[in-house]
Amino acid sequence: MTTTTLAQATTVAQRRSAELEDLIDRDAAAFRILTGDRPTGQLHLGHYFGTLRNRVRLQDLGAEVFVLIADYQVLTDRDTAEHLDEYVTGLVLDYLAIGLDPARTVIFAHSAVPALNQLLLPFLSLVSVPELNRNPTVKDEIAHSRQASVSGLMLTYPVHQAADILFCRANLVPVGQDQLPHLEITRVIARRFSERYGPVFPVPDALLSAAPLLLGTDGTKMSKSRGNTIPLSATADETARLIRGAQTDSERHISYDPADRPAVSSLVLLAALALDRDPREVAAGVGGGGAAALKQLVATAVNDLLAPVRARRAEYERDLGYVRQVLRDGNQRASEIAAATLAEVRTAMGMTY
Ligand code: ATP
Ligand code: MG
């Protein structure tokens, strides 16, 4: 997929997401959701509007939700995984603070689920090296990687992600735009597995939000690893400072024009998402007020939205024993499900001796 075809894939996925929203409205319980994050830093507004908010909404509508902490995948673009304990704890704190409920949602780390990882082996046999080499997100991540050469893990992690998604037979994956090529690999693997061995896995759909690619303060994709984020756990003052420092452009009048004014439009979108308003209306409201007025509006809107999240996060921070227990319970539940799926896979493949 080139940049153009990624844009085309996004248009197709947006159309499909609208159809899926209708199905969710009718019967959310028909969906099993899997999605997750790498413990490479603090979750940020790109995560919140790109996928976290959808997770909570789907959970509250009655879908079964699995949230994965992709700790092995930290090693795709760096030699050693640093601050793992701190980042993993931070992710679980953020999940709880935004409203994921461990009584209904399974939160787990894939390194703690051996049977899930074993699915990687048959799945690797179902994709070709050229297919892996073509993945535009992997290419982009290689360009931003901290390593001198490309590791086997970097090239194959989309296949590992197929194991993450299919171990629990998820049929819906709320993600940002960068994940679309990976989800396509998962869909190919599910189909090919069925053709060769029988129907064990569903073919899952991506669910895009209204913010499939939120930009960071430097005008490129907001990413934990790129130092351009507005973290969910930042204080109100830090948040306002980061937003004040965000890149804009030289045109004074504020408009919403993502193609020609990506940085300004991303700020407009942030305010619109936080206020639940249309971005064009938000831009028209700021108009000649310029970038300073826009940034002020964004900071107030984001801080108002996040105030209750921060308060809940601070409460959970006082009970880290509970936070760890949530993860242990999730690991246990995911392991039971993965063991059952692996047994079925081995039966389908004739590996029952
Ligand atoms: P890293 O830079 O370490 O890769 P990241 O910020 O890209 O971190 P991930 O853990 O790779 O975060 O992504 C977790 C989920 O959040 C994925 O579904 C991804 O598509 C989504 N996501 C990440 N960044 C954004 C963004 N800027 N806009 C929308 N969705 C995003
Ligand atoms: Mg990423």
Side-chain angles (χ1 to χ4, degrees):
M1 250 190 255
T2 61
T3 312
T4 337
T5 52
L6 182 56
Q8 283 161 354
T10 306
T11 309
V12 172
Q14 273 166 332
R15 233 178 275 138
R16 177 70 184 138
S17 294
E19 288 168 12
L20 289 162
E21 289 293 353
D22 284 342
L23 297 172
I24 291 164
D25 271 349
R26 260 178 269 155
D27 184 14
F31 290 95
R32 191 174 247 199
I33 317 294
L34 179 293
T35 180
D37 312 287
R38 301 201 302 160
T40 44
Q42 297 168 312
L43 291 180
H44 50 68
L45 290 174
H47 295 117
Y48 187 75
F49 292 116
T51 153
L52 296 176
R53 208 156 64 152
N54 262 342
R55 300 177 195 177
V56 178
R57 183 172 63 94
L58 289 159
Q59 166 198 272
D60 293 345
L61 286 170
E64 225 178 327
V65 181
F66 289 74
V67 176
L68 154 86
I69 297 176
D71 47 0
Y72 273 136
Q73 287 174 12
V74 173
L75 298 169
T76 53
D77 60 359
R78 61 204 85 199
D79 292 333
T80 53
E82 279 158 11
H83 311 291
L84 258 187
D85 193 36
E86 177 194 334
Y87 291 154
V88 168
T89 305
L91 290 190
V92 182
L93 280 169
D94 285 330
Y95 297 154
L96 296 171
I98 61 164
L100 288 175
D101 170 10
R104 292 176 286 167
T105 288
V106 179
I107 298 171
F108 69 101
H110 62 187
S111 70
V113 184
L116 179 160
N117 293 295
Q118 197 175 325
L119 292 175
L120 185 59
L121 294 170
F123 287 1
L124 279 170
S125 75
L126 297 169
V127 285
S128 70
V129 172
E131 278 172 325
L132 295 175
N133 270 326
R134 275 202 294 272
N135 186 306
T137 298
V138 171
K139 282 188 192 162
D140 185 52
E141 287 171 346
I142 287 170
H144 285 91
S145 164
R146 304 175 189 187
Q147 293 180 307
S149 59
V150 180
S151 73
L153 186 63
M154 172 63 102
L155 196 64
T156 56
Y157 92 86
V159 184
H160 195 193
Q161 256 182 249
D164 292 336
I165 294 167
L166 296 177
F167 95 93
C168 65
R169 296 183 173 85
N171 55 6
L172 191 63
V173 190
V175 284
Q177 183 195 53
D178 60 317
Q179 290 292 317
L180 293 177
H182 300 350
L183 203 76
E184 201 40 51
I185 291 184
T186 296
R187 290 164 60 86
V188 164
I189 287 173
R191 276 194 219 103
R192 288 185 189 158
F193 190 94
S194 295
E195 281 158 22
R196 277 187 210 176
Y197 306 111
V200 174
F201 299 111
V203 180
D205 275 298
L207 183 71
L208 290 179
S209 75
L213 177 63
L214 197 77
L215 302 183
T217 51
D218 62 353
T220 74
K221 173 186 176 291
M222 191 180 284
S223 283
K224 289 188 233 92
S225 313
R226 297 186 193 177
N228 64 357
T229 74
I230 301 164
L232 297 182
S233 54
T235 64
D237 285 350
E238 281 162 3
T239 302
R241 186 178 53 75
L242 289 167
I243 291 169
R244 272 198 304 275
Q247 195 183 306
T248 49
D249 56 34
S250 54
E251 211 178 307
R252 179 164 175 89
H253 193 88
I254 298 303
S255 58
Y256 184 65
D257 181 358
D260 288 334
R261 302 184 72 188
V264 164
S265 300
S266 192
L267 284 170
V268 171
L269 181 62
L270 253 184
L273 290 166
L275 295 166
D276 202 14
R277 288 177 52 195
D278 182 81
R280 278 163 205 84
E281 274 175 32
V282 170
V286 178
L294 173 62
K295 288 175 176 179
Q296 183 60 52
L297 178 71
V298 176
T300 306
V302 167
N303 279 332
D304 286 351
L305 181 79
L306 291 183
V309 174
R310 290 177 184 138
R312 278 197 297 272
R313 196 180 200 278
E315 269 171 45
Y316 287 116
E317 253 177 318
R318 284 195 285 274
D319 194 358
L320 291 179
Y322 170 74
V323 174
R324 284 187 222 294
Q325 193 56 44
V326 164
L327 191 55
R328 271 198 295 270
D329 291 349
N331 289 341
Q332 172 70 30
R333 177 84 188 107
S335 293
E336 288 160 13
I337 294 170
T341 305
L342 180 62
E344 236 182 273
V345 162
R346 296 181 67 206
T347 304
M349 296 178 76
M351 293 174 170
T352 46
Y353 331 107

